[in-house]
Amino acid sequence: MHSQPISDIQPLADIILLLGEKVSKLITECRDFYKLEEEVYKLSQEACVKIFAWALEEIDTWLVNARDKRTWKVIGFRERTVVSSFGEFKVKRRLYRNKKTGEARFLLDEVLGWPERSRCTPRLKEMAVKLGSEVPFRRAAEILGYFVPGISAMAVWQAVQEAGEALRQEGESRREAVFEKGETPEGKEKTSRLYIEADGVVVRLQRSEEKRKEVKLFVAYTGKEAIGGGRKALKDKLVTSGVGEGERMWEEVYSGVASRWDMGQVKEIYLGSDGAEWAKQGVDYFPGAVHVLDPYHLNRRLIEAFWHDEEAYSGIRQAIYLGDREKVEEIMGGAARRVRGAKRRRIEKLWQYLKENWSGIVTSSAAEHLGAIEGQVQHNVARRMKRLGASWTEAGADRMARVLAARANGVLGRHTSRWPVLLARQEHLAQAVRLEVKRKIEEAGSWHKAGLPALREPSAGAPWVKHVLRELSRPSLSSLIP
């Protein structure tokens, strides 16, 4: 496809020249180290903003030559505000109208995958989401403000909401494919044994009749491995989290697990929980799975009931280890007869808990391999969502939980560093732009040698010209193209 000559890279040289002049002036006038650093940083941001705006407008210029002129007519320019990791700026891009249908579109936006109402660039959004998943939104905006002046807590909140909603839709789509459309997941990873643990953490709600809501967390893994210092880490960890009913969340967990692992190769599945009814429902979704009562929660219940009676506590632990239910009942009966009031009620409540979960206590020795869920809840959810004074809408809590799960899985960048817009519709234009960019860069080496007036003018002797621009003119920029 023939392309007309497109604007040269003279603006880049102008930006570098201007930056050099300003820095040179700053060096001679500034007497404060802090101020020098601050001003140099501001100048570099200004230069980056101008380069970024130029790059976007150049792509738009290349697109006008690559388009199908029989279909698309340029009807004008429109400005759009961009908030990037360098700062805020405006960019002009062409608006086209389809001669056949009358449809109006910005080809630049489509090739870049630029959503209509999104002001933040993907990189800035990634920074906002990752920081917003660690600290409160206001604090995240304050920290980002050191680098990107003017970003607000609302902008950080919006970035997190968008990422969380994309993750929710992805999880729901995967769940629907399995449980509503009847599709069979095709996991590729192989393992003969899986551990899946489930637990929840209650967070405060705002703008809701309900005061609190449980965030459910699930972690699947294939075992544990030593990482030094007597510590162990979960192998092949897959975290799922969200606010929803138990059955629906388990459907999402199953579809995620089965999309990763080949379930036909899995011979043993152990589901660990604290005994909550919704958590035990997992055995209905994983055929042949064995429910195991989480040892951490079991021991906590024992301590709560027998903190005052060490002999009974030790005896019951031994009887549970041996799977001797009659002995457990005998010891608990004797301990209950020796106390009254709240202490007796706690013992009676414990006995009811043990009866309801007895099969999960004695079914398998796999319990010794479980017990990771409490730390996972604290590290992945509670640390961010249970901060002092934190409260959430139900939808906001669900989205944040999903962002935190994606961060734990190491895939958060997939939903923040790229805009979720399909490029297929304009892929032919994107390819034309890539070819034109390569051609222009290959020509840039000779342009540098012949086209930088600063190398020939009186300013050519200045150090910043001699040691910066002259060096930039030496190598061929075509080497940058893979």
Side-chain angles (χ1 to χ4, degrees), residues 183-448:
E183 298 178 10
T184 301
E186 297 182 357
K188 303 300 183 184
E189 296 185 26
K190 310 291 185 182
T191 184
S192 61
R193 178 180 291 184
L194 269 178
Y195 300 94
I196 305 174
E197 299 189 52
D199 199 3
V201 58
V202 177
V203 299
R204 294 172 56 196
L205 291 184
Q206 57 175 280
R207 300 197 297 273
S208 172
E209 294 182 0
E210 294 183 82
K211 299 298 182 183
R212 291 174 173 79
K213 196 74 176 180
E214 185 176 42
V215 176
K216 296 178 175 64
L217 182 82
F218 308 79
V219 56
Y221 55 99
T222 59
K224 299 178 182 179
E225 57 185 350
I227 56 175
R231 299 168 57 236
K232 293 183 178 180
L234 304 184
K235 292 174 59 179
D236 309 315
K237 181 174 68 173
L238 177 63
V239 177
T240 306
S241 187
V243 174
E245 298 302 321
E247 291 183 2
R248 198 174 191 88
M249 290 302 302
W250 272 115
E251 288 178 356
E252 191 171 325
V253 170
Y254 176 83
S255 60
V257 168
S259 295
R260 178 170 177 178
W261 285 287
D262 181 353
M263 299 306 292
Q265 300 293 319
V266 180
K267 306 304 181 185
E268 301 174 67
I269 303 177
Y270 298 101
L271 300 179
S273 80
D274 64 352
E277 286 302 315
W278 69 263
K280 292 191 291 185
Q281 289 175 340
V283 296
D284 298 330
Y285 294 89
F286 293 89
V290 175
H291 175 251
V292 180
L293 192 67
D294 178 63
Y296 171 85
H297 290 93
L298 172 59
N299 196 52
R300 188 173 69 180
R301 294 289 188 109
L302 292 175
I303 293 173
E304 288 174 353
F306 292 109
W307 60 268
H308 61 284
D309 192 337
E310 185 175 349
E311 182 180 351
Y313 170 77
S314 300
I316 288 176
R317 284 201 62 182
Q318 180 65 18
I320 287 175
Y321 177 77
L322 296 173
D324 191 340
R325 180 168 175 167
E326 292 183 0
K327 187 64 174 179
V328 170
E329 185 174 7
E330 177 187 335
I331 295 173
M332 294 193 71
R337 286 191 292 272
R338 293 193 294 270
V339 295
R340 296 182 180 180
K343 291 180 180 179
R344 174 176 285 187
R345 288 193 294 273
R346 280 196 292 269
I347 293 174
E348 292 171 348
K349 186 177 180 180
L350 172 63
W351 177 231
Q352 184 63 32
Y353 176 75
L354 294 179
K355 288 192 292 184
E356 291 174 354
N357 294 284
W358 187 254
S359 62
I361 295 172
V362 300
T363 297
S364 172
S365 61
E368 65 188 57
H369 300 290
L370 297 171
I373 192 63
E374 193 69 18
Q376 293 294 314
V377 166
Q378 177 60 34
H379 181 71
N380 294 320
V381 178
R383 186 166 59 91
R384 174 63 179 93
M385 300 187 70
K386 291 278 286 185
R387 290 176 181 272
L388 183 63
S391 61
W392 312 82
T393 64
E394 186 169 333
D398 181 68
R399 290 166 182 159
M400 176 57 83
R402 293 174 184 278
V403 165
L404 295 173
R407 186 188 68 185
N409 292 329
V411 299
L412 184 55
R414 298 179 190 173
H415 302 273
T416 57
S417 61
R418 298 292 184 273
W419 277 315
V421 175
L422 295 176
L423 305 182
R425 192 162 61 159
Q426 296 297 343
E427 178 57 28
H428 65 290
L429 288 179
Q431 177 64 19
V433 168
R434 285 192 287 269
L435 292 174
E436 184 64 15
V437 170
K438 183 172 183 177
R439 185 182 69 80
K440 295 297 291 185
I441 289 181
E442 287 172 347
E443 295 174 356
S446 57
W447 184 92
H448 267 282

Side-chain angles (χ1 to χ4, degrees), residues 17-261:
L17 289 170
L18 182 61
L19 179 63
E21 291 175 0
K22 289 186 175 181
V23 171
S24 180
K25 182 180 179 181
L26 182 62
I27 290 172
T28 60
E29 296 179 355
C30 188
R31 295 292 181 269
D32 179 85
F33 199 114
Y34 180 92
K35 194 67 176 175
L36 178 62
E37 180 183 9
E38 182 180 48
E39 292 302 318
V40 168
Y41 181 72
K42 287 180 180 179
L43 287 175
S44 66
Q45 279 190 305
E46 290 176 14
C48 286
V49 162
K50 291 178 180 178
I51 293 171
F52 198 2
W54 173 84
L56 293 176
E57 290 175 0
E58 277 296 287
I59 294 174
D60 197 42
T61 300
W62 290 327
L63 283 172
V64 75
N65 292 290
R67 80 190 192 282
D68 181 356
K69 297 179 177 63
R70 295 169 298 178
T71 303
W72 296 104
K73 177 184 178 181
V74 179
I75 59 175
F77 288 84
R78 299 292 186 274
E79 268 193 344
R80 185 168 187 179
T81 299
V82 184
V83 184
S84 73
S85 54
F86 313 125
E88 183 176 307
F89 62 95
K90 294 183 183 298
V91 60
K92 288 197 309 181
R93 70 261 200 262
R94 292 171 176 83
L95 177 62
Y96 300 84
R97 176 165 286 132
N98 190 305
K99 296 177 182 179
K100 301 173 184 177
T101 66
E103 177 189 9
R105 281 165 35 188
F106 294 98
L107 296 186
L108 176 66
D109 295 9
E110 293 189 8
V111 166
L112 295 177
W114 195 348
E116 183 179 351
R117 294 179 178 81
S118 181
R119 296 176 72 245
C120 293
T121 60
R123 185 168 185 267
L124 179 58
K125 181 180 176 183
E126 179 179 30
M127 293 164 63
V129 173
K130 288 185 175 180
L131 197 53
S133 69
E134 293 283 353
V135 298
F137 301 130
R138 192 173 301 279
R139 177 59 178 156
E142 181 183 345
I143 295 171
L144 283 174
Y146 287 111
F147 309 99
V148 188
I151 191 167
S152 65
M154 182 56 69
V156 177
W157 174 86
Q158 182 64 37
V160 172
Q161 296 303 300
E162 289 176 5
E165 180 60 21
L167 287 160
R168 186 198 68 78
Q169 291 179 14
E170 181 183 275
E172 178 63 15
S173 176
R174 193 163 47 232
R175 187 199 68 80
E176 286 181 354
V178 176
F179 289 93
E180 296 183 19
K181 298 179 182 179
E183 298 178 10
T184 301
E186 297 182 357
K188 303 300 183 184
E189 296 185 26
K190 310 291 185 182
T191 184
S192 61
R193 178 180 291 184
L194 269 178
Y195 300 94
I196 305 174
E197 299 189 52
D199 199 3
V201 58
V202 177
V203 299
R204 294 172 56 196
L205 291 184
Q206 57 175 280
R207 300 197 297 273
S208 172
E209 294 182 0
E210 294 183 82
K211 299 298 182 183
R212 291 174 173 79
K213 196 74 176 180
E214 185 176 42
V215 176
K216 296 178 175 64
L217 182 82
F218 308 79
V219 56
Y221 55 99
T222 59
K224 299 178 182 179
E225 57 185 350
I227 56 175
R231 299 168 57 236
K232 293 183 178 180
L234 304 184
K235 292 174 59 179
D236 309 315
K237 181 174 68 173
L238 177 63
V239 177
T240 306
S241 187
V243 174
E245 298 302 321
E247 291 183 2
R248 198 174 191 88
M249 290 302 302
W250 272 115
E251 288 178 356
E252 191 171 325
V253 170
Y254 176 83
S255 60
V257 168
S259 295
R260 178 170 177 178
W261 285 287

